[in-house]
Amino acid sequence: MRTWAEVDLSALRHNVRTLRRRAADTPLMAVVKADAYGHGAPRIARAAVEAGADSLAVVTVEEGEELRRAGVDAPVLVFTDLPPEELRRARALGFTVTAHSTQSARLIASVGGLKAHLKVNTGMNRWGVEPEEVGEAVRLLGDSMTGVYTHFACADDPDGPGRRETEAQIRTFERVLAARSFAGTLVHAANSAGTLWWPAARYGCVRPGVALYGLHPAGGDPEGEGLRPVMALKSYVASVRRLAPGEGVSYGFTYRAARETAAATVPVGYAEGYRRALSGRSEALIGGRRRPLLGRITMDASVFECDADTQVGDEVVLLGEQGPERVTAEELGRLAGTINYEVTTGVNPRRVERRYV
Ligand SMILES: *Cc1c(COP(=O)(O)O)cnc(C)c1O
């Protein structure tokens, strides 16, 4: 393969154990939606369960089906809205679904035989029944209801203005929980940020996604939270050339060599998920050093400065460590005007093989 993603399953297991410890051994639901944030859901799910995850969460029935085909038999919660035929598939596979509105509660009841968690809107205003509709949704779901949950909008900002927003969401959720008996149902709220920074939101289980992959929920340094990045993105030098002063590189000549410069062509482009917005901004690791990207990222290739003695075949690290240097998903996200989540989730599996180590 041209460019590959190394997925470190021992780092994943370390992160699962770290998050469980951090949450005082609260049961852990590993969020493996979107192909485990680009890391490959079947292998990640298996490793997470080995390391102590109690259940798994996905967004589509198909994502859950892929886990079952791979022999993963842990409980699965589906987070989002499903049409009737998908609800029937979820029932056949034994998945728990989400009732996110009174209409969806009614639909789940009419399909019958399903287990459902009720999602409550405590302020995120994306999914969830309003607090005053909880009574009706509970009645509609009847015995199907096995859990109740909410989702935080600002839990990644525990020391800034987001603190008050999360406190308000927790208060609203507490009012919902106090208004009727939820005995025997699983209560949950904490995403990665909640798991790390909101002990009041642990309830019956925590629900981390991004932190499992060793990424920092607020774009900071994951090592500061004891997390180890799971994905590295690696490629190789496919050709080397010498640029004379004044020569341009790649489309539009947005870069021109100021002096004689060695340039390495690397077979990674935006089709691999190496985002074009990084053009002229990012650095890769070649020969144990940081080397700047020259000009624009194209669909299939990028050009980096290199040394005069860089050889064809030398390793190039776009994300991860080489020698003493390290490029993080947080750094690439910042440079591309996005977040670490999108950096790994955007690695295209049709172009980039995952190698599990
Ligand atoms: C994606 C998602 C999570 C995980 O969020 P992270 O920020 O990645 O930890 C948890 N709960 C719900 C409902 C989600 O959609």
Side-chain angles (χ1 to χ4, degrees):
M1 271 270 187
R2 303 153 36 89
T3 293
W4 64 97
E6 260 176 36
V7 177
D8 181 349
L9 293 174
S10 67
L12 186 279
R13 287 188 288 261
H14 164 88
N15 296 334
V16 170
R17 289 190 294 264
T18 299
L19 290 164
R20 268 206 83 132
R21 247 196 330 274
R22 191 69 179 253
D25 249 342
T26 305
L28 186 144
M29 179 185 291
V31 179
V32 296
K33 61 187 178 186
D35 204 19
Y37 294 43
H39 294 69
R43 295 291 295 271
I44 291 289
R46 209 174 306 147
V49 170
E50 275 166 25
D54 301 86
S55 61
L56 303 164
V58 296
V59 159
T60 67
V61 173
E62 198 166 333
E63 288 176 350
E65 239 174 345
E66 191 188 7
L67 300 176
R68 289 292 184 261
R69 273 201 305 276
V72 177
D73 59 5
V76 168
L77 172 65
V78 184
F79 275 151
T80 197
D81 190 39
L82 300 174
E85 62 279 11
E86 294 285 297
L87 288 173
R88 281 189 286 272
R89 273 171 77 199
R91 180 180 59 193
L93 290 156
F95 298 163
T96 301
V97 298
T98 294
H100 62 84
S101 65
T102 49
Q103 292 92 320
S104 98
R106 201 168 287 119
L107 183 60
I108 288 165
S110 76
V111 167
L114 276 158
K115 286 175 292 183
H117 287 192
L118 177 63
K119 189 165 196 175
V120 182
N121 177 26
T122 57
M124 169 92 174
N125 290 319
R126 181 181 61 170
W127 302 105
V129 299
E130 303 311 318
E132 55 278 10
E133 297 173 326
V134 167
E136 192 194 346
V138 167
R139 188 181 54 73
L140 286 166
L141 289 172
D143 291 344
S144 301
M145 198 184 81
T146 56
V148 58
Y149 72 108
T150 192
H151 191 54
F152 295 134
C154 307
D156 58 341
D157 182 29
D159 302 317
R163 168 151 220 103
R164 282 176 40 221
E165 308 294 352
T166 306
E167 285 168 353
Q169 283 199 267
I170 293 174
R171 271 198 306 277
T172 302
F173 194 44
E174 296 283 345
R175 268 200 301 279
V176 166
L177 296 174
R180 55 186 41 76
S181 167
F182 287 100
T185 65
L186 184 64
V187 178
H188 50 109
N191 54 5
S192 295
T195 305
L196 290 169
W197 303 314
W198 291 92
R202 284 177 193 150
Y203 301 106
C205 83
V206 293
R207 220 170 56 218
V210 81
L212 296 173
Y213 309 106
L215 306 177
H216 190 282
D221 179 9
E223 279 183 8
E225 302 293 340
L227 301 168
R228 282 168 47 194
V230 174
M231 184 189 286
L233 188 62
K234 298 188 175 178
S235 190
Y236 65 95
V237 174
S239 72
V240 182
R241 72 193 75 244
R242 287 193 140 332
L243 306 171
E247 283 192 286
V249 173
S250 189
Y251 293 124
F253 290 161
T254 55
Y255 163 88
R256 281 181 192 275
R259 53 190 150 73
E260 188 160 300
T261 302
T265 302
V266 179
V268 65
Y270 58 81
E272 275 71 26
Y274 195 64
R275 302 170 63 92
R276 188 171 177 278
L278 294 168
S279 295
R281 296 170 177 260
S282 61
E283 295 175 323
L285 310 180
I286 305 174
R289 289 175 60 194
R290 284 183 167 262
R291 312 306 320 228
L293 178 68
L294 306 180
R296 288 193 176 133
I297 293 168
T298 68
M299 185 181 284
D300 314 300
S302 304
V303 179
F304 292 89
E305 194 177 309
C306 64
D307 292 318
D309 64 353
T310 296
Q311 299 292 309
V312 166
D314 283 359
E315 180 189 73
V316 178
V317 173
L318 303 148
L319 167 66
E321 293 179 0
Q322 189 189 60
E325 289 289 349
R326 183 168 75 119
V327 175
T328 64
E330 287 75 16
E331 172 185 340
L332 294 180
R334 211 159 29 245
L335 292 172
T338 180
I339 52 174
N340 48 4
Y341 291 67
E342 204 180 5
V343 170
T344 63
T345 307
V347 172
N348 179 2
R350 304 276 289 266
R351 276 279 182 97
V352 179
E353 183 196 355
R354 297 188 193 93
R355 296 187 186 159
Y356 295 92
V357 296

